[in-house]
């Protein structure tokens, strides 16, 4: 990791799926592939479950605040190509604006909501999502509505991690 080019790290907690599409006879074997720029990570497969619990933590290095996180849900197939079960995107800018704002404010109380982000046509939010101060860090829980599929949502959480030797967000303009 070239710390000069990296602003910091982002913990992406992929919690669960809700009412995912059926791609096998009665269920699906879902997993998620996460892409951000050159980075590609994936969760484990949850067998025969349209409401899977992944509870996985993936870490991405953030080089550019304008690069979205792209999540694609697949159904694992044994004898054929895995079926796509929808996709979603996370725009980091609203969240990182909260992180930067919280850094500039002095002491905020634990559990304080720094900003509320509303669902709109350009984001995948299924409902309002809040950036909340928790244990000294800003976290954002969100339910993402999957696109290009008949149904399904995924529940994720993001958390910024400052890394010593990395640029950080102080110089970044949004």
């Amino acid at each position: 990791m070239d710390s000069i080019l990296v602003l910091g790290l982002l913990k992406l907690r992929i919690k669960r799926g809700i009412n995912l599409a059926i791609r096998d006879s009665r269920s699906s074997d879902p997993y998620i592939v996460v892409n951000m720029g050159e980075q590609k990570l994936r969760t484990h497969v949850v067998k025969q479950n349209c409401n899977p619990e992944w509870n996985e933590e993936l870490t991405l290095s953030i080089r550019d605040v304008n690069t979205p996180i792209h999540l694609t849900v697949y159904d694992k197939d044994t004898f054929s190509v895995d079926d796509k079960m929808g996709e979603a995107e996370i725009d980091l800018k609203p969240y990182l604006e909260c992180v930067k704002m919280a850094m500039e404010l002095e002491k905020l109380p634990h559990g304080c909501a720094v900003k509320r982000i509303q669902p709109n046509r350009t984001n995948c939010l299924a409902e309002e999502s809040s950036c909340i101060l928790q244990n000294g860090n800003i976290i954002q829980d969100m339910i993402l509505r999957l696109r290009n599929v008949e149904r399904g949502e995924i529940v994720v959480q993001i958390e910024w991690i400052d890394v010593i030797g990395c640029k950080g967000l102080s110089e970044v303009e949004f």
Side-chain angles (χ1 to χ4, degrees):
M1 175 170 72
D2 187 353
S3 61
I4 295 165
L5 300 173
V6 173
L7 298 171
L9 300 177
L10 189 83
K11 275 190 203 173
L12 173 64
R13 293 181 185 94
I14 300 189
K15 294 182 173 186
R16 60 192 173 93
I18 302 168
N19 198 24
L20 299 180
I22 295 172
R23 289 291 180 258
D24 294 334
S25 58
R26 285 189 216 105
S27 188
S28 292
D29 305 314
Y31 67 94
I32 297 179
V33 174
V34 177
N35 287 293
M36 183 182 197
E38 302 293 310
Q39 302 171 82
K40 184 175 182 177
L41 304 167
R42 66 173 273 184
T43 66
H44 67 281
V45 175
V46 177
K47 296 281 189 196
Q48 299 180 354
N49 197 327
C50 289
N51 292 291
E53 298 268 343
W54 286 288
N55 292 317
E56 275 191 51
E57 193 171 280
L58 307 173
T59 304
L60 296 161
S61 52
I62 306 302
R63 290 170 164 47
D64 179 2
V65 297
N66 297 307
T67 304
I69 299 172
H70 192 79
L71 302 107
T72 308
V73 183
Y74 290 95
D75 169 47
K76 181 75 177 154
D77 286 329
T78 308
F79 302 111
S80 63
V81 176
D82 294 353
D83 302 310
K84 213 178 217 188
M85 296 173 63
E87 55 201 328
E89 210 170 73
I90 300 172
D91 176 6
L92 289 177
K93 285 182 286 197
Y95 168 74
L96 294 177
E97 286 170 1
C98 294
V99 172
K100 189 173 177 180
M101 186 171 41
M103 287 176 183
E104 292 167 3
L105 299 172
E106 281 304 307
K107 299 278 184 197
L108 290 171
H110 176 78
C112 173
V114 177
K115 182 177 184 177
R116 288 175 168 56
I117 301 164
Q118 300 298 324
N120 62 39
R121 277 196 225 123
T122 61
N123 66 32
C124 290
L125 292 175
E127 58 186 47
E128 180 181 273
S129 174
S130 294
C131 297
I132 296 173
L133 184 67
Q134 187 174 1
N135 301 323
N137 290 330
I138 300 289
I139 60 155
Q140 182 182 357
D141 283 304
M142 55 187 99
I143 299 173
L144 302 173
R145 184 169 288 126
L146 295 175
R147 295 177 176 161
N148 304 318
V149 68
E150 60 272 22
R151 66 175 198 233
E153 298 173 337
I154 51 177
V155 180
V156 299
Q157 181 187 76
I158 55 177
E159 179 180 356
W160 178 260
I161 306 296
D162 271 318
V163 179
I164 295 171
C166 289
K167 288 174 74 172
L169 292 175
S170 57
E171 309 287 313
V172 176
E173 292 294 321
F174 293 100

